[in-house]
């Protein structure tokens, strides 16, 4: 029982991180109709941008918004210089180019920051204990931060004109154009939003463990699994998808070695694609 | 000069021309109906007027301005709204949000226009928080028309607004189209329920294989024997 609850805590932490990545993947898919393979490496980029700011002597939570801004700008630049030209070709070409972008970003990060593990803050945090359950302050920060960000995304999508335009375009591109919704501006905002969320995911991942140039790539599979579970292109579904995958991955370590965690995500993803490719939720959302 | 003036338009979807020299005009005080057999190019003609077609020859003007090669997002701002035959709502969004998206380009206060649309379609007023994708075909058609009216267009392009509706909804839709036209919105409409449509039409165009076949007033077309036999099913 103790094991179970402890793993549940880890699962919620991992789920929070996956959710932040999956919302971005889902938004990008909804607007641009391709699976963004460089999303994991955008997370890595976000984490290392934050590390660069932290190394100037600022605390992580101050570095986070700065890193978000840096990463969002880079995401928009990548889109405008590379993806934009390919939008009129087949979506598979965009997908493959994003795969290339993933490799490029990772190599660049490794070149600048080196191939070793790094941390935001050295030293050990005093954990909170409830009976035998251990919760690190960082865990609370990660889950709390994810909740705040999800609420912000919700407010943006449901209450702002640009957020609604994003949902409209993801619903029906042609009709959005018939309303005069400016497609390119919506695309730009999509990258800004997805870039900020990916940064948070990357920074939280680095806080939970360590920073490494392959950290984002390694977590891309569970992020995709969460996206598909929630129904690809449905950002609200991604929240549930992230939580389910995160918790399933952690709980699986009760019955199998932790190295199989990604395999659990993969198995759920394949099962979903066979059984319910439209996601766990019915209808449009 | 007419509000919309299409002259000898040739165009298609990239391959062969679908429209082979069509002429058409429409004005603000008119209901203009396009009829013709399946595949005649009726929908294609509406798409041409809304900048969704590759135009290879001919000209189109709107309000005296050349619009031959403008895009849909440029045309909505000039006062043309288009309701496609299918996929004409944002399914995951509420009725209210659909209307808001219709008003996307407006910077002014559009609450009066919205009130008027809710008067025209009382059903929508009751269900403004409902997701459009979960509504019946007739209700979705109202959402689609309401959305297109939010910019207070000069001309409304409707592609088969009564397709798939029950007889009751069909009558209601034609009444609504008349009511919209009375407020000074020109109507250019493709219809399969041709007889009923011609009854409310000021003028009608019979289109076959991407060409004008017969053009006349609604009443004359209804009285025309050839039209009656070949295009209205006797
Ligand atoms: N998106 C498209 N791409 C290529 N060809 C198309 C496209 N849409 C229609 N066509 C072709 O253009 C021709 C005219 O089609 P259109 O839809 O305009 O006919 P229609 O008169 O509206 O017929 P219906 O009564 O069935 O709606 C048809 O031969 C059709 O196959
Ligand atoms: Mg048609």
């Amino acid at each position: 029982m103790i094991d179970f609850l402890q793993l549940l805590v880890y699962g919620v932490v991992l789920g929070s991180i996956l959710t932040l990545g999956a919302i971005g993947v889902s938004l990008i898919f909804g607007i641009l109709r391709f699976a963004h393979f460089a999303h994991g490496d955008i997370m890595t980029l976000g984490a290392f941008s934050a590390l660069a700011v932290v190394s100037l002597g600022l605390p992580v939570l101050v570095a986070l918004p700065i890193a978000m801004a840096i990463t969002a700008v880079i995401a928009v630049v990548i889109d405008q210089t590379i993806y934009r030209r390919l939008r009129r070709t087949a979506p598979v070409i965009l997908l493959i180019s994003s795969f290339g972008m993933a490799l490029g970003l990772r190599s660049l990060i490794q070149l600048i920051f080196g191939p070793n593990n790094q941390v935001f803050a050295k030293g050990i945090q005093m954990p909170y204990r409830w009976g035998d359950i251990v919760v690190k302050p960082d865990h609370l920060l990660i889950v709390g931060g994810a909740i705040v960000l999800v609420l912000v995304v919700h407010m943006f999508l449901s209450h702002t004109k640009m957020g609604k335009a994003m949902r409209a375009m993801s619903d029906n591109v042609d009709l959005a154009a018939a309303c005069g919704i400016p497609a390119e501006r919506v695309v730009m905002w999509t990258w800004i939003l997805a870039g900020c969320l990916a940064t948070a995911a990357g920074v939280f991942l680095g806080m939970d463990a360590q920073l490494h140039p392959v950290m984002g790539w390694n977590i891309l599979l569970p992020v995709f699994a969460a996206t598909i579970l929630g129904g690809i292109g449905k950002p609200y579904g991604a929240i549930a998808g992230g939580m389910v995958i995160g918790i399933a991955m952690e709980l699986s370590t009760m019955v199998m070695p932790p190295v199989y965690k990604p395999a659990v995500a993969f198995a759920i993803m394949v099962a979903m694609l066979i059984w319910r490719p439209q996601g766990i939720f019915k209808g449009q959302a | 000069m007419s509000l919309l003036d299409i002259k000898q338009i040739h165009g298609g979807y990239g391959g062969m021309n679908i429209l082979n020299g069509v002429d058409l005009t429409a004005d603000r005080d008119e209901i203009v109906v396009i009829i013709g057999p399946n595949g005649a190019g009726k929908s294609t003609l509406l798409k041409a007027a809304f900048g969704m077609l590759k135009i290879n020859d001919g000209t189109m003007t709107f309000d005296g301005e050349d619009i031959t090669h403008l895009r849909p997002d440029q045309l909505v701002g000039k006062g043309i709204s288009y309701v496609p035959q299918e996929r004409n709502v944002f399914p995951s969004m509420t009725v209210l949000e659909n209307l808001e998206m219709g008003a996307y380009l407006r910077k002014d206060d559009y609450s009066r226009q919205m009130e008027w649309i809710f008067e025209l379609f009382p059903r929508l007023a009751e269900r403004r928080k409902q997701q459009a994708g979960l509504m019946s075909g007739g209700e979705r058609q109202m959402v689609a028309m309401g959305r297109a009216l939010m910019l207070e267009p000069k001309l409304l392009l409707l592609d088969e607004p009564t397709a798939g509706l029950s007889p009751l909804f069909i009558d209601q839709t034609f009444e609504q189209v008349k009511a919209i036209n009375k407020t000074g919105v020109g109507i250019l409409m493709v219809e399969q329920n041709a007889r009923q449509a011609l009854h409310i039409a000021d003028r009608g165009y019979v289109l076959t294989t991407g060409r004008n076949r017969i053009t006349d007033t609604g009443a004359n077309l209804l009285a025309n024997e050839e039209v009656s036999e070949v295009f209205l099913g006797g």
Side-chain angles (χ1 to χ4, degrees):
Chain A
M1 193 59 199
I2 299 300
D3 266 5
F4 177 80
L5 289 177
Q6 183 68 58
L7 289 174
L8 207 58
V9 170
Y10 294 151
V12 170
V13 172
L14 179 59
S16 303
I17 295 167
L18 297 180
T19 293
L20 294 176
I23 293 174
V25 171
S26 216
L27 282 171
I28 293 168
F29 186 88
I31 301 288
L32 294 167
R33 301 280 143 195
F34 81 106
H36 187 224
F37 266 80
H39 213 68
D41 299 280
I42 297 278
M43 290 183 198
T44 314
L45 176 70
F48 277 92
S49 307
L51 184 70
V53 179
V54 166
S55 70
L56 301 176
L58 293 167
V60 180
L61 281 191
V62 177
L64 177 60
I66 300 172
M68 280 179 167
I70 296 170
T71 310
V73 168
I74 295 176
V76 169
V77 168
I78 290 172
D79 175 65
Q80 290 293 309
T81 52
I82 294 165
Y83 298 153
R84 182 180 183 162
R85 297 157 203 276
L86 303 172
R87 262 179 227 146
R88 259 170 239 110
T89 62
V92 68
I93 294 181
L94 265 173
L95 186 146
I96 290 167
S97 75
S98 77
F99 200 90
M101 181 49 63
L103 293 170
L105 275 175
R106 201 180 322 154
S107 307
L108 196 67
I109 291 165
Q110 183 152 339
L111 206 64
I112 298 172
F113 293 92
N116 301 319
N117 286 334
Q118 307 196 45
V119 288
F120 284 120
K122 292 208 172 63
I124 297 170
Q125 288 187 315
M126 278 305 290
Y128 304 114
R129 290 177 186 278
W130 283 278
D132 287 323
I133 299 168
V134 178
V135 180
K136 284 197 293 181
D138 277 353
H139 288 159
L140 296 181
L141 217 73
I142 291 169
V143 176
I147 291 172
V148 169
L149 286 170
V150 164
L151 286 177
V152 169
V153 171
H154 168 69
M155 294 303 282
F156 178 76
L157 289 177
S158 61
H159 289 292
T160 69
K161 196 170 172 180
M162 182 48 69
K164 289 179 199 178
M166 235 179 235
R167 285 163 55 216
M169 211 171 133
S170 151
D171 258 15
N172 189 337
V173 179
D174 296 330
L175 199 62
C179 293
I181 292 173
E184 279 303 322
R185 199 166 339 140
V186 175
V187 168
M188 205 176 86
W189 275 98
T190 306
W191 285 108
I192 291 174
L193 191 59
C196 288
L197 295 173
T199 304
V203 168
F204 291 165
L205 194 62
M207 284 166 69
D208 190 32
Q210 291 167 324
L211 288 87
H212 188 274
V214 196
M215 63 193 277
W217 177 252
N218 285 343
I219 207 176
L220 185 67
L221 180 72
V223 167
F224 275 10
T227 310
I228 288 166
L229 194 63
I232 191 156
K234 299 176 189 166
Y236 289 100
I239 301 166
M243 281 301 155
V244 171
I245 298 286
I247 291 170
M249 282 171 72
E250 292 298 342
L251 290 184
S252 74
T253 60
M254 290 176 87
V255 290
M256 52 183 119
V259 286
Y260 289 116
K261 278 200 259 180
V264 171
F266 187 68
I268 297 176
M269 182 169 85
V270 170
M272 280 304 289
L273 285 173
I274 293 168
W275 172 59
R276 261 192 92 85
Q278 72 274 42
I280 23 183
F281 300 110
K282 277 208 195 102
Q284 305 271 351
Chain B
M1 181 180 268
S2 295
L3 177 65
L4 175 69
D5 199 340
I6 296 180
K7 282 205 178 81
Q8 280 301 305
I9 214 75
H10 293 69
Y13 297 95
M16 225 174 51
N17 277 349
I18 304 288
L19 302 177
N20 302 297
V22 178
D23 293 306
L24 181 143
T25 65
D27 264 304
R28 270 189 104 143
D29 55 1
E30 288 188 301
I31 297 178
V32 177
V33 169
I34 305 169
I35 63 170
N38 290 110
K42 307 181 295 296
S43 297
T44 305
L45 181 55
L46 283 196
K47 286 183 200 162
F50 198 61
M52 295 167 74
L53 212 64
K54 192 173 173 299
I55 304 297
N56 296 320
D57 199 11
T59 58
M60 295 188 287
T61 61
F62 185 76
D63 234 354
E65 194 183 332
D66 181 54
I67 57 158
T68 314
H69 299 289
L70 293 192
R71 294 185 313 263
D73 54 315
Q74 298 170 310
L75 291 170
V76 280
K78 297 197 183 296
I80 306 185
S81 275
Y82 167 62
V83 180
Q85 182 177 343
E86 283 161 343
R87 294 184 23 91
N88 53 20
V89 298
F90 298 111
S92 81
M93 305 181 84
T94 65
V95 170
L96 199 61
E97 287 172 334
N98 267 272
L99 297 184
E100 284 171 7
M101 288 301 104
Y104 190 88
L105 290 177
R106 287 184 76 150
K107 304 265 184 289
D108 58 337
D109 175 19
Y110 51 75
S111 53
R112 282 190 53 197
Q113 181 70 1
M114 199 178 271
E115 274 321 305
W116 175 69
I117 287 167
F118 283 139
E119 274 169 40
L120 186 67
F121 307 110
R123 195 118 180 95
L124 297 187
E126 297 161 20
R127 331 194 105 203
R128 55 183 91 191
K129 299 274 182 211
Q130 171 110 44
Q131 250 186 43
L134 302 176
M135 300 175 95
S136 75
E139 291 166 338
R140 273 207 307 275
Q141 192 61 45
M142 294 179 202
V143 175
M145 284 206 265
R147 190 227 93 225
L149 287 170
M150 284 303 290
L151 285 180
E152 302 188 32
K154 296 171 186 148
L155 181 68
L156 182 61
L157 311 175
L158 297 173
D159 198 348
E160 303 203 19
T162 68
L165 303 190
S166 65
L168 188 72
F169 264 129
I170 293 179
D171 293 345
Q172 200 182 48
T173 304
F174 282 128
E175 286 308 313
Q176 285 154 348
V177 167
K178 276 202 301 200
I180 294 166
N181 178 242
K182 284 237 167 57
T183 67
V185 180
I187 305 279
L188 177 59
M189 170 166 79
V190 172
E191 257 305 329
Q192 290 284 8
N193 293 303
R195 199 177 288 277
Q196 248 175 309
L198 287 176
H199 269 291
I200 66 162
D202 294 290
R203 292 185 305 113
Y205 289 81
V206 181
L207 225 63
T208 53
T209 58
R211 287 186 181 82
N212 293 93
R213 176 71 176 271
I214 310 170
T215 305
D216 212 328
T217 62
N220 284 350
L221 285 175
L222 281 169
N224 183 313
E225 262 182 42
E226 186 198 345
V227 172
S228 200
E229 264 174 42
V230 182
F231 302 107
L232 304 178

